[in-house]
Amino acid sequence: MTDSLVQTLSVLFAAVVFPGGIFAITLGLALKGFDRRVFARLQRRVGAPLLQPFYDVLKLMTKRTLVPENANLVVFLMVPLLGLASMGVAAAMIPIPGLYDPSPAFGDLLVLFYLLSVPAVMLMLAGSASGSPFGGIGFSREMAIMLAYEGPILLVIVSVALKTGAALGQPICLSLSEIVRYQQVHGAYLFDPWMWPAVLTYIAFIPANLGISPFDIPEAESEVLEGPLIEYSGVALGLLKLTSAVKSVVVIGLGIVLFFPNGPEGLFGLVVFALKCLVITVCGVSVLRAAVGRMRIDQAVIFYLKWPELLGIASLALVAMNL
């Protein structure tokens, strides 16, 4: 086989099987199962079985997809496919130390930054294509909160890229593999006080991007009845649930790669990576949504334009001062 064919097959394998695709879906659904169980225990409930997210998706896959009469058929059905495909590619760009390095054909950190916004855009399209007023409200809320948190996370990415690039003698480093290798040799950014504002900014970014309390405003069940997802059912809804699961792995995995990729290599390193994802899910998702009520959309936007934005600017300023 030619080199180009081998590279194409390796890219497809990474996006469809490991570390994207099947692996990311399995890990993402498992994280959601742990999240639901811990959340229930914090509320003094027993909670659903750990495998309940798997059961839910399998059940949805056996149901019929109903399309509203006034929906845009093409957009309505394409949204779940495009969302899941984008997250499969994004998951394949996350390096796992000592086990997997993404192919250069996938792009770099900047490409991953844009891919992270695709599920939010797909949710907005879903809300507008469904023809439901609740979907339209969810569309406007998703757009507002996305515009609020995109600025801080971009500042975090630039801070990490500048710091790593300066250490490697480059203007900027956008390769996730290089960022991982540098931290493995020189220590994780998590323990560097100059990077703590960036760490805090990323922690604040996680719940908004994943759409969990207190930032689950676009899909608030008690207000807009799941918003953009209200008209989805069957296989289409199942694909949207899978997209959400894979996005959890991508967002949490990116945080690990940017700030704490250190650990053993090989299969044991994969286990450690999964355990890190589990710890972040429990501490940064389950505990947060059990402790804090939902914000209003204006409160959420003001929060991100105020505190995470200031922390992101502080992080970039500290990195620039130490170049």
Side-chain angles (χ1 to χ4, degrees), residues 107-173:
D108 51 27
L109 185 55
L110 198 57
V111 176
L112 185 55
F113 168 73
Y114 283 108
L115 285 175
L116 279 176
S117 65
V118 172
V121 175
M122 292 299 106
L123 272 181
M124 287 188 276
L125 288 175
S128 61
S130 66
S132 166
F134 292 110
I137 295 172
F139 171 100
S140 62
R141 290 182 173 189
E142 185 70 45
M143 181 171 60
I145 198 168
M146 185 185 76
L147 292 175
Y149 67 64
E150 287 285 288
I153 191 58
L154 180 59
L155 291 171
V156 169
I157 288 174
V158 173
S159 299
V160 173
L162 283 175
K163 181 175 177 60
T164 308
L168 297 176
Q170 305 170 8
I172 192 170
C173 177

Side-chain angles (χ1 to χ4, degrees), residues 187-221:
Y189 290 154
L190 179 63
F191 306 112
D192 183 353
W194 297 104
M195 295 300 293
W196 286 350
V199 174
L200 293 174
T201 305
Y202 198 89
I203 291 173
F205 161 77
I206 291 175
N209 189 267
L210 296 184
I212 60 104
S213 183
F215 304 109
D216 56 339
I217 309 161
E219 303 169 29
E221 294 89 347

Side-chain angles (χ1 to χ4, degrees), residues 96-99 184 263-270:
I96 299 176
L99 187 63
Q184 286 179 316
E265 298 186 351
L267 292 177
F268 189 50
L270 180 62

Side-chain angles (χ1 to χ4, degrees), residues 44-102:
R44 297 185 179 181
R45 297 186 288 111
V46 175
L50 292 176
L51 295 179
Q52 190 62 47
F54 293 90
Y55 302 150
D56 293 342
V57 170
L58 287 175
K59 183 178 180 180
L60 286 171
M61 292 302 180
T62 64
K63 301 294 183 180
R64 203 174 75 183
T65 299
L66 301 177
V67 181
E69 185 176 333
N70 57 342
N72 185 313
L73 179 63
V74 176
V75 177
F76 187 84
L77 295 178
M78 285 299 295
V79 159
L81 294 172
L82 292 176
L84 183 58
S86 66
M87 286 298 95
V89 174
M93 295 176 64
I94 304 293
I96 299 176
L99 187 63
Y100 170 76
D101 275 332

Side-chain angles (χ1 to χ4, degrees), residues 11-25:
V11 167
L12 288 174
F13 181 84
V16 177
V17 181
F18 177 86
I22 296 173
F23 172 78
I25 287 172

Side-chain angles (χ1 to χ4, degrees), residues 152 155 201 204-205 302-313:
L155 291 171
T201 305
F205 161 77
I302 291 172
F303 170 79
Y304 274 98
L305 293 179
K306 190 175 181 181
W307 301 113
E309 190 82 30
L310 289 175
L311 284 171
I313 293 172

